[in-house]
Amino acid sequence: MRLVTLLGTRPEIIKMAPLLPRLDEGYEHLLVHSGQHYSREMDRIFFEELSLRAPGVHLEVGSHPAGTQTGRIMERFEAALPSPLPAAILVQGDTNTALAGALVAAKLRSQGVLLVHVEAGTRSHNPLQPEEINRKLIDRVSDLLFVPEERDLENLRREGVDLSRAFVTGNTVVESCLRTAALSASRQTPARYGLAPERYAVATFHRQETVDEEPKLRAIYEALLAVGRRLPVLVPLHPRTRKMMGRFGLGLEAPGVRFIEPLGYVDMIDLLGHSRFCLTDSGGLVEEAAVLGIPALVLRTETEHRQYVECGIHTLVGSDRARIENEAARLVEDGETYRLRRTVSVPVRRGAPEVILQTLRARLGRLVPAAEPSA
Ligand code: UD1
């Protein structure tokens, strides 16, 4: 049976990594890369570090406004599909690449092509967030939905998605993270940056809603400078963030805060795992922090991962400068609070790749495009 996977950004590569070699073994499997991310440090380094084979087809789309980017990926992806068409197209997550793949697959439904969505059902409930729009649209047209947590099923149910197509699997990022943490043990990454274990913080932020508005980005930047007066902060800069900081005149030279190029996965996981805490707006990083038992100050007002806030390891701080400073001060100076945060029981579900593969194997043959329920 023929399958096609479309990916194109850093998080998609990381989260699909445990599945791709297994899909190669079990199926005639074509891997297509959209080219949404294209620089070595946002793309190729992850293929190398995670020992993934190169994509069979590269669409080389690059950066554009969202509509153009999505449209170009659709056009080139459709043209790149093999003949005869695959039985299924897999997409992961909530990027423009994933949306483009989903829309192409949905249009081929009448020709028997099924759409499989990995990391379905997660919601921030922020209707303005580009990723939330992408997720909802993808889930609406998916034939098979792999959902990280039970609570994500509830999101789908409320939106009227047929739950017989949805399976709770856990999130593949857990396996990516733990395998990489094992590899990184001897790397001494903090020492390479002159940092001592538990005596520094790591910060990443790149979301459009975090970095594209000057007051928010400035507040986070100033909060980081304040945190940097208590302990060193290392900031691997996403290209979008670098661009917006330049536009708003926020300098890269700041005492206590070191801005660096984006890191590879092994270094990132090693740095995160030995940090005192992280500050981030990334969905992937909050999961990785939870898996490694590292507290996160989440630079957002909502999260798709409420379970980590509820269990007490992560805190939502938004872009509120005083809140970020206060929460960071507690994690640095209040040893009791810090110890408690490091030792809470974190609900981490293992084994997502295996559950996904088994379900795929069991379900693919039986799925047929379904009629919509009548109104
Ligand atoms: C995308 C995803 C987001 C994901 C993030 C991870 C969407 C809507 N958003 O956001 O969900 O969390 O990736 O990184 O799909 N750029 C480079 N080099 C690269 C890639 C991008 O310099 O390799 C620059 C481009 O100038 C571009 C900017 O980064 O303007 C943003 O890239 P874009 O593809 O728009 O999305 P991300 O912000 O990375």
Side-chain angles (χ1 to χ4, degrees):
M1 185 181 288
R2 193 180 287 209
L3 297 189
V4 173
T5 297
L6 175 67
L7 48 66
T9 66
R10 180 168 70 174
E12 291 166 288
I13 302 164
I14 291 169
K15 291 178 178 178
M16 288 302 283
L19 286 174
L20 295 176
R22 306 284 304 276
L23 292 171
D24 284 349
E25 278 163 32
Y27 300 93
E28 195 184 329
H29 177 222
L30 174 66
L31 178 62
V32 182
H33 193 307
S34 70
Q36 178 172 345
H37 286 174
Y38 43 85
S39 43
R40 178 178 148 71
E41 66 271 16
M42 295 294 287
D43 174 33
R44 280 184 306 283
I45 190 165
F46 300 99
F47 281 87
E48 291 160 19
E49 289 189 339
L50 295 162
S51 306
L52 301 174
R53 72 167 163 95
V57 175
H58 204 296
L59 306 180
E60 293 179 357
V61 164
S63 300
H64 302 281
T68 308
Q69 190 175 54
T70 310
R72 288 203 184 153
I73 299 171
M74 284 183 70
E75 190 178 350
R76 293 182 194 182
F77 181 53
E78 185 178 58
L81 286 175
S83 171
L85 285 167
I89 290 175
L90 279 80
V91 297
Q92 193 284 338
D94 53 24
T95 65
N96 292 337
T97 295
L99 175 64
L103 293 176
V104 168
K107 300 280 181 183
L108 295 171
R109 215 176 193 207
S110 62
Q111 296 179 56
V113 178
L114 299 166
L115 172 61
V116 180
H117 188 199
V118 178
E119 201 182 90
T122 69
R123 295 290 181 267
S124 65
H125 304 290
N126 175 354
L128 300 180
Q129 186 192 34
E131 288 85 352
E132 182 81 350
I133 297 163
N134 290 347
R135 289 182 197 118
K136 285 189 163 182
L137 293 171
I138 298 167
D139 285 344
R140 191 71 246 168
V141 292
S142 289
D143 297 288
L144 192 50
L145 299 98
F146 292 128
V147 172
E149 300 295 330
E150 267 84 12
R151 70 172 70 212
D152 306 320
L153 274 185
E154 184 52 26
N155 294 329
L156 294 175
R157 193 189 59 72
R158 266 194 247 118
E159 290 168 23
V161 173
D162 172 6
L163 292 192
S164 70
R165 291 158 182 276
F167 297 85
V168 178
T169 61
N171 198 313
T172 53
V173 75
V174 175
E175 253 56 41
S176 303
C177 174
L178 289 174
R179 284 182 202 174
T180 304
L183 284 180
S184 73
S186 58
R187 294 267 284 218
Q188 303 284 328
T189 316
R192 290 197 343 255
Y193 286 91
L195 301 166
E198 284 196 21
R199 293 306 308 158
Y200 65 93
V202 178
T204 74
F205 39 103
H206 70 276
R207 283 180 194 269
Q208 199 174 307
E209 67 269 22
T210 314
V211 304
D212 283 16
E213 287 170 39
E214 182 170 356
K216 269 196 189 176
L217 184 57
R218 190 171 285 281
I220 290 172
Y221 179 82
E222 286 171 0
L224 286 185
L225 299 194
V227 177
R229 287 193 278 275
R230 295 178 193 274
L231 87 174
V233 183
L234 191 69
V235 190
L237 263 191
H238 188 283
R240 174 189 284 278
T241 314
R242 181 179 289 275
K243 184 169 71 184
M244 299 316 289
M245 282 177 62
R247 188 171 298 173
F248 302 144
L250 303 173
L252 297 178
E253 296 297 326
V257 183
R258 187 164 163 202
F259 295 97
I260 58 172
E261 292 296 321
L263 290 164
Y265 198 48
V266 182
D267 282 353
M268 186 70 210
I269 291 298
D270 202 21
L271 278 166
L272 178 66
H274 292 95
S275 67
R276 189 161 183 91
F277 63 96
C278 67
L279 305 104
T280 188
D281 70 347
S282 156
L285 207 79
V286 295
E287 293 224 55
E288 288 151 349
V291 169
L292 299 172
I294 302 296
L297 301 183
V298 182
L299 303 167
R300 303 174 62 193
T301 49
E302 73 280 316
T303 173
E304 298 79 16
H305 308 289
R306 281 220 66 84
Q307 69 272 27
Y308 303 134
V309 176
E310 285 163 7
C311 80
I313 187 164
H314 295 346
T315 313
L316 286 176
V317 291
S319 53
D320 180 334
R321 181 184 158 170
R323 180 109 211 269
I324 299 169
E325 277 185 58
N326 291 341
E327 290 293 336
R330 286 176 66 200
L331 290 174
V332 179
E333 277 142 30
D334 180 348
E336 178 66 5
T337 300
Y338 185 67
R339 199 188 52 74
L340 278 174
R341 295 277 288 278
R342 288 294 308 254
T343 51
V344 292
S345 163
V346 181
V348 171
R349 191 191 285 260
R350 296 288 312 264
E354 202 51 50
V355 181
I356 289 174
L357 287 161
Q358 279 177 15
T359 314
L360 202 56
R361 215 170 291 136
R363 295 290 298 202
L364 261 189
R366 283 190 278 138
L367 276 173
V368 284
E372 290 289 324
S374 49

